[in-house]
Amino acid sequence: MSETGLRERKKRRMYEVVSEVAIGLFLEKGFDAVSVAEVAAAAEISKPTLFRYFPAKEDLVLYRIADHEEEAARVVAGQDSPLGALRRHFLDGLERHDPVTGLNDDPRVLAFHTLLYGTPALAARVYAYQERSEAALAEALGGGLEARLAAGQIIAVRRILALDNWQRIAAGERVADVRPDAVAAAERAFGSLAAGLPDLA
């Protein structure tokens, strides 16, 4: 392996380790009760080093979902039917119980989502994350006002579907019971998008 490749692997590993240490502390004590200095000490790195990797405290949590930020844009790349590709991708995610769809009852996933949506500072950053997802999708759809309007609707639908699934499971419903409704809701939602955005269907 090249030196550059090894360096990138080490860097990625550092991101993963520090993020996991931070999330563990936040879940145990609460996001606001844990300082960045405490995270750095637990990860056995200096505070300046931590800030080189994570410019803001919230980034320690958001890193776990960072690879999904441009997911919708990647899914539509080169597709004749962008909306069809996104519909298949979401339904496949439901089948796999992908945490991004909200249809997952792993205690660690539920705890992470509770941390994410139950902490005001993190919830605010999630909206910024979704705005970047929307911008990336709009660019993949060709840019311009029409693409931005379409991307806004698509990202909103995915977010609302996932949030509804997560809320039901967090309230105690079983994945097996939620799944049929989740699939039906996704089919209806993407059907409505197709009717409203025929050029993408």
Side-chain angles (χ1 to χ4, degrees), residues 83 146 149-151 153-154 157 188-201:
L83 205 50
E146 295 300 323
L149 290 169
Q153 294 174 67
I154 293 165
V157 161
R188 288 196 308 275
F190 279 95
S192 294
L193 283 173
L197 304 168
D199 291 344
L200 298 181

Side-chain angles (χ1 to χ4, degrees), residues 130-141:
Q130 288 166 346
E131 285 178 352
R132 292 191 297 272
S133 295
E134 188 179 306
L137 178 57
E139 187 65 27
L141 294 175

Side-chain angles (χ1 to χ4, degrees), residues 59-200:
D59 294 330
L60 289 159
V61 178
L62 272 293
Y63 176 76
R64 182 178 282 185
I65 60 172
D67 60 332
H68 292 288
E69 190 171 293
E70 297 186 358
E71 185 174 64
R74 290 194 298 267
V75 168
V76 304
Q79 297 291 325
D80 291 332
S81 171
L83 205 50
L86 287 165
R87 172 188 163 278
R88 288 191 303 274
H89 184 262
F90 194 86
L91 290 172
D92 287 347
L94 292 175
E95 183 69 30
R96 297 190 316 271
H97 299 169
D98 188 329
V100 172
T101 67
L103 192 67
N104 188 298
D105 60 359
D106 185 303
R108 295 166 299 178
V109 172
L110 290 174
F112 177 77
H113 282 150
T114 299
L115 172 69
L116 196 62
Y117 296 115
T119 307
L122 291 173
R125 286 298 293 272
V126 169
Y127 279 107
Y129 160 91
Q130 288 166 346
E131 285 178 352
R132 292 191 297 272
S133 295
E134 188 179 306
L137 178 57
E139 187 65 27
L141 294 175
L145 179 60
E146 295 300 323
R148 294 200 306 276
L149 290 169
Q153 294 174 67
I154 293 165
I155 295 298
V157 161
R158 285 162 41 111
R159 175 181 62 80
I160 292 167
L161 289 171
L163 194 58
D164 187 64
N165 294 336
W166 168 71
Q167 287 173 334
R168 289 183 61 181
I169 291 170
E173 293 189 59
R174 298 186 315 130
V175 165
D177 295 331
V178 175
R179 188 179 178 282
D181 291 343
V183 170
E187 293 283 20
R188 288 196 308 275
F190 279 95
S192 294
L193 283 173
L197 304 168
D199 291 344
L200 298 181

Side-chain angles (χ1 to χ4, degrees), residues 10-98:
K10 288 176 70 176
K11 185 177 180 181
R12 189 177 302 115
R13 182 65 183 149
M14 175 67 86
Y15 274 110
E16 291 168 358
V17 168
V18 177
S19 176
E20 287 304 312
V21 167
I23 289 169
L25 288 171
F26 298 150
L27 289 174
E28 179 187 350
K29 302 179 180 182
F31 182 80
D32 295 325
V34 179
S35 68
V36 172
E38 190 175 348
V39 173
E44 300 182 337
I45 58 174
S46 69
K47 190 174 173 181
T49 297
L50 184 148
F51 277 123
R52 279 204 300 274
Y53 286 89
F54 300 96
K57 184 180 176 183
E58 293 80 7
D59 294 330
L60 289 159
V61 178
L62 272 293
Y63 176 76
R64 182 178 282 185
I65 60 172
D67 60 332
H68 292 288
E69 190 171 293
E70 297 186 358
E71 185 174 64
R74 290 194 298 267
V75 168
V76 304
Q79 297 291 325
D80 291 332
S81 171
L83 205 50
L86 287 165
R87 172 188 163 278
R88 288 191 303 274
H89 184 262
F90 194 86
L91 290 172
D92 287 347
L94 292 175
E95 183 69 30
R96 297 190 316 271
H97 299 169
D98 188 329

